[in-house]
Amino acid sequence: MAKIKFTKNELKNQRDALGRYERFLPTLRLKKEQLQGEVRRLSRELRDVRTRMDALEDEVRPWIALFDDPYDLAPFAAVERLDKEIVNVVGVNVTELRGVVFAGELPDLHDSPAWADEAVQALRTRVELGLAERFLTAERATLAEELRTTTQRVNLFEKVKIPETLDNIRRIRIFLGDQQTAAVARAKLTKRKTSEQWRSA
């Protein structure tokens, strides 16, 4: 705890500090609640993406074994460009994935096996879901870190700064009150002594 001066100026400084803390705390609490909501939303979106990835794997598992024909699908699922956007979420800049642009066209029907179109679509969907998972995970981690910092600040204000400042104000007021009482007592004593000196003279 920092050393305080027992003066009227210090009392004013402590009251001003308390006012700032009490003004700022609701904003921090609101930010904390909003961040908690965003982290929960991103967790739900991640669960949804992972569920869709599992469903896609279950969907292709029965027929993927039928692909005896060695046909290279990789060029058709190569990513040409990611459409990304930096957005501000509760005061934090995060990168969100808006879309995926694939480099190759779909396979030519004459030069590819019959199953190639469906396989390419499944592969592209899997790539999109994998990228979505990566971006959502990074966004959630960024917001979770900001939530941790904001929670620490809320706790600092609620559990340290405000109680400490209230205690400082209480101690300064007691000290100043005692000083005032002592000054009144000295004034009365001086007055009585002066009065006695006048009587004896």
Side-chain angles (χ1 to χ4, degrees):
M1 184 183 287
K3 195 165 173 65
I4 58 166
K5 297 173 187 171
F6 292 93
T7 63
K8 287 184 179 180
N9 279 344
E10 183 65 20
L11 180 61
K12 182 187 180 313
N13 291 342
Q14 291 291 320
R15 283 179 174 157
D16 290 347
L18 180 63
R20 282 193 304 275
Y21 299 148
E22 288 177 338
R23 242 185 351 266
F24 196 50
L25 183 57
T27 304
L28 277 176
R29 283 182 182 143
L30 179 62
K31 182 175 182 178
K32 178 183 170 184
E33 289 172 16
Q34 290 173 331
L35 284 166
Q36 286 170 330
E38 287 297 319
V39 169
R40 280 193 299 270
R41 178 186 65 80
L42 289 168
S43 295
R44 283 193 304 270
E45 286 186 23
L46 262 171
R47 276 195 306 274
D48 180 53
V49 164
R50 288 171 181 154
T51 300
R52 289 168 60 199
M53 288 167 79
D54 291 342
L56 179 66
E57 286 176 21
D58 290 343
E59 185 182 315
V60 299
R61 191 175 291 116
W63 54 268
I64 202 136
L66 302 174
F67 301 157
D68 291 335
D69 191 0
Y71 186 74
D72 187 13
L73 298 174
F76 304 107
V79 175
E80 181 180 297
R81 181 180 82 248
L82 297 179
D83 290 336
K84 304 177 284 187
E85 184 180 356
I86 295 176
V87 295
N88 189 296
V89 179
V90 195
V92 182
N93 287 336
V94 292
T95 304
E96 289 188 353
L97 180 65
R98 297 296 187 204
V100 180
V101 177
F102 291 96
E105 295 294 321
L106 289 174
D108 185 332
L109 291 173
H110 303 293
D111 297 337
S112 62
W115 49 263
D117 277 0
E118 196 171 343
V120 167
Q121 289 299 337
L123 188 56
R124 285 183 173 187
T125 301
R126 179 60 182 84
V127 169
E128 286 174 340
L129 290 171
L131 288 166
E133 180 187 35
R134 194 174 84 199
F135 275 81
L136 287 169
T137 301
E139 186 177 349
R140 185 179 64 175
T142 301
L143 293 180
E145 179 60 26
E146 184 67 19
L147 174 60
R148 189 185 66 77
T149 304
T150 303
T151 301
Q152 287 176 340
R153 288 182 184 148
V154 168
N155 290 340
L156 175 68
F157 278 59
E158 286 180 338
K159 297 179 177 149
V160 179
K161 290 296 189 183
I162 290 176
E164 185 179 277
T165 306
L166 285 169
D167 186 54
N168 289 344
I169 290 170
R170 182 188 61 78
R171 289 171 49 218
I172 294 169
R173 288 174 74 184
I174 289 170
F175 179 82
L176 293 176
D178 289 349
Q179 292 291 95
Q180 188 174 4
T181 303
V184 169
R186 280 193 303 276
K188 285 183 179 179
L189 185 60
T190 304
K191 185 177 178 184
R192 191 171 65 212
K193 283 185 180 180
T194 307
S195 175
E196 286 172 5
Q197 287 175 351
W198 278 102
R199 277 191 232 131
S200 61

